């Protein structure tokens, strides 16, 4: 256990340091976006999500504000920018340590130790993007909520509600749990109560006009260059038949080519159809008596993978979403977790190679980074197929099979 904890904390130190030395400003979002947003809120300026629409749910501002508090004592030593980066790294490390403590526990059962080593390896392979994005705040919350699903379902639902109100993806773990668990009504009521409480608070803060701004902000996005659906167009860009354009409104690089708008328009309904289909199938398996430890992991991973594969955004930090469901797969069904573990570790390494290590070349549509991106996107699609196949193969009791 001591070696595991030491490796986990050392991985955070290494990854935090790599953010300072890797190219392409992998910490850019923290100081170029999160810091100004939080500084504006504290100085009496615009409050994102409250006085103006925002790309994230409103509670996502909380860790950005907390980082200002952590950075304040260091402003004189490291400067405002450096202090904020250090504060962010400290906050992520502290939250991860809490999540890691819940995961491995005091005794450190074999499956939970394995999950801890996987988390450590994934963090190292994914690199700075695993820490210097708002998604990093939600990973430990999702892990904690997932670990509590069996013994503390009400607390699990509350934790996943909080995580989903910071970044939407942990909601996939919650709906998977509702479909697979017998305590679904209790979890659903707690989740709805927590959501209602957050909504009421936001209304009191004056967010009524911008309450769901994060939903509508996403609808205007084009097809981001790293998304799975953009892969063929990136090869067109490499051949000079498509363009890579920067959106100052969304702050991301998007592909421009004939047919892009049609593909982009199809992705959101495809995502909804695939997610609902997987969820209904999972609920059908649960109704026929499938056990929670066998059903929940592949269902959760399928839903999260659907959110990535069918997304018109392909930000590298999306790969952090895969860490939590695979950790929970190891915890609940270790003997069948080998393939998802291997795939996610490979995806983490490939994502780091794409961003930040070869990202400059990708923006120029050079063949090598486009090839790396293609392999990554093919592999995440393979992960989705693997998870869906595992979901189909979840057994049900023979009595149900006869009926």
């Amino acid at each position: 256990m001591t070696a595991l904890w030491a490796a986990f904390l050392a991985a955070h130190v290494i990854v935090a340091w790599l953010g300072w030395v890797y190219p392409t400003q992998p910490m850019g979002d923290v100081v170029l976006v999160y810091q100004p947003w939080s500084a504006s809120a504290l100085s009496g300026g615009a409050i994102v999500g409250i006085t103006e629409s925002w790309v994230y749910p409103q509670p996502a501002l909380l860790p950005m504000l907390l980082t200002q508090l952590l950075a304040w004592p260091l402003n004189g030593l490291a400067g405002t920018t450096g202090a904020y980066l250090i504060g962010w790294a400290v906050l992520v490390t502290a939250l991860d340590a809490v999540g890691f403590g819940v995961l491995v526990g005091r005794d450190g059962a074999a499956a939970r130790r394995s999950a801890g080593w996987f988390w450590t390896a994934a963090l190292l392979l994914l690199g700075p993007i695993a820490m210097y994005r708002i998604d990093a705040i939600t990973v430990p919350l999702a892990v904690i909520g997932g670990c509590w699903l069996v013994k503390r379902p009400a607390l699990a639902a509350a934790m996943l509600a909080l995580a989903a109100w910071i970044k939407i993806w942990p909601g996939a773990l919650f709906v998977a749990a509702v479909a697979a668990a017998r305590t679904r009504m209790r979890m659903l009521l707690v989740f709805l109560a927590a959501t209602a409480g957050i909504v009421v608070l936001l209304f009191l803060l004056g967010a009524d006009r911008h309450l769901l701004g994060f939903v509508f902000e996403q609808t205007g996005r084009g097809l981001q260059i790293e998304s799975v659906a953009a892969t063929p167009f990136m090869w067109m860009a490499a051949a000079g038949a498509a363009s890579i354009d920067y959106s100052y409104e969304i702050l991301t690089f998007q592909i421009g080519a004939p047919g892009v708008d049609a593909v982009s328009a199809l992705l959101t309904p495809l995502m909804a159809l695939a997610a609902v289909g997987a969820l209904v199938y999972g609920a059908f398996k649960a109704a026929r008596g499938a056990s929670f430890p066998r059903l929940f992991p592949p269902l959760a991973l399928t839903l999260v993978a659907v959110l990535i594969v069918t997304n018109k955004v392909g930000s590298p930090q999306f790969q952090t979403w895969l860490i939590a469901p695979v950790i929970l797969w190891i915890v609940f069904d270790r003997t069948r977790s080998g393939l998802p573990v291997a795939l996610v570790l490979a995806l983490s390494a490939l994502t780091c190679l794409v961003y930040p290590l070869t990202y400059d070349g990708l923006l120029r549509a050079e063949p090598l980074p486009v090839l790396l991106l293609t392999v990554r996107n093919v592999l995440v699609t393979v992960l989705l197929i693997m998870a869906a196949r595992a979901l189909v193969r979840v057994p049900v009791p023979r009595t149900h099979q006869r009926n």
Side-chain angles (χ1 to χ4, degrees), residues 277-334:
L279 187 61
V280 169
Y281 186 77
F284 171 75
K285 284 271 187 175
R288 289 175 62 84
S291 70
F292 180 83
R294 286 295 303 273
L295 178 59
F296 173 75
L299 178 57
L301 186 57
T302 298
L303 290 173
V304 172
V306 162
L307 295 182
I308 297 173
V309 172
T310 61
N311 208 313
K312 54 186 173 182
V313 182
S315 301
Q317 60 265 28
F318 285 11
Q319 303 304 312
T320 62
W321 304 357
L322 299 170
I323 294 174
V326 173
I327 284 174
L328 298 175
W329 197 323
I330 299 170
V331 169
F332 290 122
D333 193 13
R334 181 188 177 193

Side-chain angles (χ1 to χ4, degrees), residues 104-354:
V104 299
R106 294 181 180 179
D107 301 328
R112 290 175 176 263
R113 289 198 306 272
S114 296
W117 283 115
F118 162 76
W119 192 353
T120 303
L123 181 69
L124 281 170
L125 291 171
L126 193 52
I129 202 68
M131 290 187 67
Y132 294 107
R133 291 294 187 274
I134 188 63
D135 307 71
I137 302 296
T138 59
V139 172
L141 301 181
V143 170
I144 293 170
C147 288
W148 284 348
L149 282 172
V150 174
K151 294 185 178 180
R152 301 179 180 91
L155 287 175
M159 184 63 70
L160 291 174
L162 173 61
W165 270 97
I166 293 175
K167 200 71 186 283
I168 296 174
W169 75 268
L173 302 186
F174 173 75
V175 296
V178 168
R182 295 180 180 178
T183 54
R184 59 180 61 89
M185 287 307 300
R186 190 192 317 174
M187 289 191 294
L188 187 59
L189 289 173
V190 171
F191 188 93
L192 292 175
T195 296
I198 292 171
V199 169
V200 169
L201 179 59
L202 291 175
F203 264 102
L204 293 175
L205 291 173
D208 51 335
R209 289 189 302 150
H210 306 293
L211 183 65
L212 298 178
F214 61 94
V215 176
F216 299 110
E217 285 286 318
Q218 299 290 341
T219 58
R221 283 182 177 266
L223 194 62
Q224 189 177 353
I225 63 172
E226 295 156 86
S227 64
V228 173
T231 305
F233 297 106
M234 287 301 293
W235 284 108
M236 290 173 60
S243 63
I244 295 175
D245 309 310
Y246 187 73
S247 169
Y248 288 94
E249 182 180 357
I250 306 296
L251 305 178
T252 190
F253 289 94
Q254 301 177 161
I255 196 79
V260 165
D261 291 341
V263 171
S264 182
L266 286 173
L267 287 176
T268 299
L270 178 61
M271 178 189 293
L273 183 63
V276 170
L279 187 61
V280 169
Y281 186 77
F284 171 75
K285 284 271 187 175
R288 289 175 62 84
S291 70
F292 180 83
R294 286 295 303 273
L295 178 59
F296 173 75
L299 178 57
L301 186 57
T302 298
L303 290 173
V304 172
V306 162
L307 295 182
I308 297 173
V309 172
T310 61
N311 208 313
K312 54 186 173 182
V313 182
S315 301
Q317 60 265 28
F318 285 11
Q319 303 304 312
T320 62
W321 304 357
L322 299 170
I323 294 174
V326 173
I327 284 174
L328 298 175
W329 197 323
I330 299 170
V331 169
F332 290 122
D333 193 13
R334 181 188 177 193
T335 58
R336 297 171 184 84
S337 64
L339 185 54
V341 164
L343 288 173
V344 171
L345 291 179
L347 282 167
S348 298
L350 284 165
T351 298
C352 186
L353 287 173
V354 172

